[in-house]
């Protein structure tokens, strides 16, 4: 691998990539683009499923019998500061964390959503590959290997960019990519395996993928231990009485590939949810279900995580499932109190996300104009029933859009409380409509009772409507959304949105796993504060990171090391 030129300043021309800011998730452009991408990926994914096209590729079992240390990171390709802070910790030859010396993983597994908000080769370069290359430009010998599992954001372009970046044997900074598919099997030391399945929007494990794993695990034997990576922590919803489809897929795979050989899935890993949560089985040798999606994307809430979980769930549709077991929530990051405090921060929504302020200002302007039209037409004598209907039709249409939008928005985030979510949605929409109607009557009052007759009356009203509505009423409306999100999140509704709207970059981390003859030791590493000021190192050695933090990064353990035996 050739040594890249070292930059002297943090510019796109010097770096070869553009450091990006954190995604503003409630900004109009992001909402529209990701919504369209998600819809198209869902519709057309079934007709052009690249997993099935990968079935023509040769089967390869990835043997890493010397990989006694494995790293796992997920949900990483967002803002530069968070992504690079985590990447620099992963790239360091060794970390000492709370007294534990932890060598760099021989294998790095990226567990999904390697880029935000949607996949493209440019975004992968700017948000993921570039920062990781800057953290580990070169390795002179014994290079670590990188494997990546796609998440829903990687799938938004049908997996095209993902396969170009991760499945063509290219270097990813100092990491060498090795996979040829979007799923993989790695044989690890001491009779351990890491299997990563691609379930494409919780759909299914396709036949070519099943055949791949049957061939790749031909040497798997009775008593072997398995780490199973999935793109979503489906065990949380399923185990708490929610949707079972995603976990049914995992259970089916476990039965067909793992249990059929007498092996056992001791650990399940996932990202997707941007927090850390560990569920442990009630047993002398507990199996672990771990979510660790804190590699760089906005922080997600933890204060509504369910416990206990029953897995597989009683309503599972899988034939011959494994015996049910209960899992308790043993650790979370951030903790519940901190998560609740962060949720209250949504009240700063208009300032943290000015684009959303513009969006609510636009909606309120349209709604106010529609209401004003109805009021004026009524006052000048709209005749009969149909005249009233025609006068108020624009306001009615906009009001219905707001009601339907409120109902749809409230369903996001919690499938278990449909009735309560609908009530919150109706109240939310009513608040927007009430604000528009109330403001419209204020405008009428200003026009008739405050502004003097003549040109000043018309111009004054125009200024109030054209500027006051989007600026003042748009701000109040954005705060109304923030208040709704804060209250709804306390009922377990819109938990994702209450945090996504804030784009919290701090509180990141990853897993470092040691494999020995007795089992696994999992070190969950947290970084409470990411660095936002960097200094270039143009004269440093070729394997050194391009930038150093202004203040040293301070990693700590989320909890004491987790021991897993077979």
């Amino acid at each position: 691998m050739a040594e890249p030129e070292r930059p002297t300043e943090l510019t796109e021309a010097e770096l070869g990539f553009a450091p990006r800011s954190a995604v503003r998730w409630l900004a109009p452009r992001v909402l529209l683009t990701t919504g369209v991408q998600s819809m198209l990926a869902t519709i057309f994914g079934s007709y052009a499923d690249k997993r099935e096209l990968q079935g023509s590729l040769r089967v390869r079992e990835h043997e890493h019998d010397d990989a006694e240390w494995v790293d796992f990171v997920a949900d990483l390709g967002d803002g530069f500061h968070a992504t690079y802070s985590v990447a620099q910790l992963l790239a360091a030859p060794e970390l000492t964390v709370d007294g534990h010396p932890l060598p760099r993983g021989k294998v790095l597994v990226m567990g999904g959503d390697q880029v935000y908000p949607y996949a493209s080769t440019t975004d992968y370069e700017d948000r993921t590959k570039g920062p990781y290359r800057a953290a580990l430009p070169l390795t002179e010998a014994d290079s670590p290997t990188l494997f990546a599992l796609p998440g829903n954001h990687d799938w938004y372009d049908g997996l095209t960019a993902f396969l170009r970046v991760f499945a063509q044997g290219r270097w990813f900074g100092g990491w060498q990519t090795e996979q040829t598919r979007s799923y993989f099997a790695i044989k690890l030391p001491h009779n351990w395996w890491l299997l990563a399945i691609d379930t494409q929007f919780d759909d299914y494990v396709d036949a070519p993928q099943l055949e791949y794993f049957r061939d790749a695990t031909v040497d798997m034997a009775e008593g072997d231990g398995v780490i199973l990576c999935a793109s979503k922590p489906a065990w949380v919803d399923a185990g708490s009485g929610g949707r079972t489809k995603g976990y049914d897929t995992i259970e089916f795979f476990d039965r067909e590939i793992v249990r059929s050989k007498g092996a056992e899935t001791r650990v399940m890993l996932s990202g997707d949810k941007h927090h850390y949560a560990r569920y442990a089985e009630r047993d002398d040798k507990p199996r672990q279900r771990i979510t660790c999606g804190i590699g760089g994307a906005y922080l997600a809430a933890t204060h509504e995580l369910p416990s206990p979980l029953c897995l597989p769930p009683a309503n599972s549709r899988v034939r011959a499932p494994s015996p049910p077991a209960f899992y308790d929530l043993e650790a979370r990051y951030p903790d519940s109190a901190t998560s609740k405090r962060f949720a209250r921060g949504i009240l700063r929504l208009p300032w943290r996300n000015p684009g959303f302020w513009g969006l609510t200002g636009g909606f309120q302007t349209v709604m106010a104009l529609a209401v004003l039209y109805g009021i004026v037409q009524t006052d000048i004598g709209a005749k009969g029933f149909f005249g009233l209907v025609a006068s108020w039709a624009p306001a009615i249409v906009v009001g219905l859009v707001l009601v339907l939008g409120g109902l749809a928005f409230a369903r996001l985030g919690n499938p278990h409380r449909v009735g309560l979510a609908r009530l919150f949605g109706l109240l939310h929409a009513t608040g927007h409509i009430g604000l528009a109607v109330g403001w419209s009557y204020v405008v009428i009052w200003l026009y008739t009772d405050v502004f003097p007759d003549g040109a000043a009356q018309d111009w004054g009203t125009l200024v109030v409507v054209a500027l006051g509505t989007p600026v003042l009423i748009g701000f109040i409306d954005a705060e109304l959304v923030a208040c709704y999100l804060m209250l709804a999140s306390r009922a377990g509704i819109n938990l994702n949105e209450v945090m996504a709207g804030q784009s919290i970059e701090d509180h990141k981390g990853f897993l470092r796993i040691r494999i020995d003859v007795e089992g696994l030791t999992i070190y969950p590493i947290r970084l409470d504060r990411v660095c936002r000021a960097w200094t270039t190192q143009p004269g440093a050695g070729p394997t050194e990171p391009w930038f150093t933090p202004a203040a040293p990064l301070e990693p700590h353990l989320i909890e004491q090391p987790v021991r897993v035996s077979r």
Side-chain angles (χ1 to χ4, degrees), residues 1-2 9 18 67 82 102 114 158 167 193 216 271 293 383 386 394 414 523 558:
M1 178 182 174
E9 54 186 26
L102 307 177
Q114 278 69 244
W193 297 75
K383 296 181 180 179
F386 292 105
N414 194 309
Y523 297 86
I558 295 174

Side-chain angles (χ1 to χ4, degrees), residues 222-539:
E222 185 172 354
D224 286 2
V226 174
I227 305 168
L228 179 60
C229 295
S231 58
K232 289 185 178 181
W235 48 86
V236 178
D237 266 355
S240 58
R243 295 164 296 191
T244 67
K245 184 178 179 182
Y247 193 78
D248 283 351
T249 299
I250 293 173
E251 180 70 18
F252 169 78
F253 179 87
D254 188 56
R255 185 193 74 194
E256 292 293 306
I257 303 299
V258 180
R259 299 203 307 268
S260 64
K261 296 179 172 63
E264 184 177 16
T265 299
R266 300 296 302 166
V267 178
M268 290 186 186
L269 296 181
S270 179
D272 187 65
K273 303 301 181 185
H274 307 163
H275 56 232
Y276 173 84
R278 180 175 66 87
Y279 289 87
E281 182 186 12
R282 297 174 186 173
D283 190 77
D284 292 336
K285 295 169 59 178
R287 292 172 289 182
Q288 307 290 333
R289 306 291 181 257
I290 300 175
T291 306
C292 188
I294 47 177
Y298 66 88
L299 190 66
T302 63
H303 58 275
E304 284 289 331
L305 287 172
S307 184
L309 307 178
C310 181
L311 298 170
N315 55 346
S316 173
R317 294 186 175 186
V318 176
R319 179 177 55 83
S322 58
F326 284 94
Y327 292 75
D328 294 312
L329 180 60
E330 297 292 337
R332 68 181 100 192
Y333 177 74
D335 61 40
S336 182
T338 303
S339 177
K340 290 178 181 178
R341 176 168 58 85
F342 285 158
R344 294 194 294 270
I346 193 64
L347 294 177
R348 300 191 297 272
L349 175 62
W351 307 114
R352 297 181 72 108
N353 203 326
F356 188 74
W357 181 354
L359 179 65
T360 56
F363 270 120
Q364 278 297 322
T365 301
V366 171
M367 186 65 187
L369 290 173
V371 173
L372 284 170
Y373 176 79
I375 293 173
V376 171
Q377 290 298 312
T378 302
D379 287 346
I380 65 177
K383 296 181 180 179
F385 172 77
F386 292 105
L388 286 173
V389 170
S391 300
W392 287 95
I396 292 171
V397 170
V398 177
L400 285 174
V401 170
L402 283 173
V403 169
L404 294 174
L407 289 172
F409 186 64
R411 288 195 183 104
L412 299 174
N414 194 309
H416 314 316
R417 301 173 182 174
V418 176
L420 186 61
R422 288 175 179 171
L423 175 60
F424 268 93
L426 285 173
L427 293 174
H428 185 200
T430 301
H432 291 294
I433 294 170
L435 179 61
V437 172
W439 173 244
S440 299
Y441 276 99
V442 169
V443 172
I444 294 294
W445 171 71
L446 291 173
Y447 179 81
T448 57
D449 296 342
V450 176
F451 295 138
D453 292 338
Q457 187 180 45
D458 294 333
W459 281 105
T461 305
L462 178 62
V463 170
V464 167
V465 173
L467 296 180
T469 306
V471 177
L472 175 61
I473 305 305
F475 176 83
I476 296 173
D477 200 42
E479 281 295 332
L480 177 64
V481 175
C483 290
Y484 159 78
L485 287 172
M486 185 182 69
L487 295 173
S489 68
R490 295 181 178 180
I493 300 165
N494 289 117
L495 279 169
N496 183 60
E497 290 70 35
V498 77
M499 302 297 276
Q502 302 181 63
S503 299
I504 298 172
E505 292 188 89
D506 289 318
H507 303 277
K508 297 298 176 274
F510 59 95
L511 303 179
R512 182 151 285 178
I513 304 172
R514 184 188 179 191
I515 305 168
D516 57 37
V517 293
E518 297 180 354
L520 306 178
T521 305
I522 302 172
Y523 297 86
I525 298 172
R526 61 180 168 87
L527 181 64
D528 293 333
R529 183 168 178 79
V530 305
C531 180
R532 293 170 172 81
W534 304 95
T535 303
T536 58
Q537 298 191 102

Side-chain angles (χ1 to χ4, degrees), residues 184-244:
F184 47 89
I186 307 173
K187 188 175 182 181
L188 297 169
H190 310 300
N191 300 315
W192 281 91
W193 297 75
L194 190 148
L195 310 181
I197 58 174
D198 179 7
T199 53
Q200 187 198 6
F201 300 115
D202 277 345
D203 200 355
Y204 59 91
V205 179
D206 53 294
Q209 189 171 177
L210 280 175
E211 287 304 311
Y212 165 86
F213 281 106
R214 288 191 179 103
D215 290 342
T217 60
V218 67
D219 293 331
M220 185 179 287
E222 185 172 354
D224 286 2
V226 174
I227 305 168
L228 179 60
C229 295
S231 58
K232 289 185 178 181
W235 48 86
V236 178
D237 266 355
S240 58
R243 295 164 296 191
T244 67

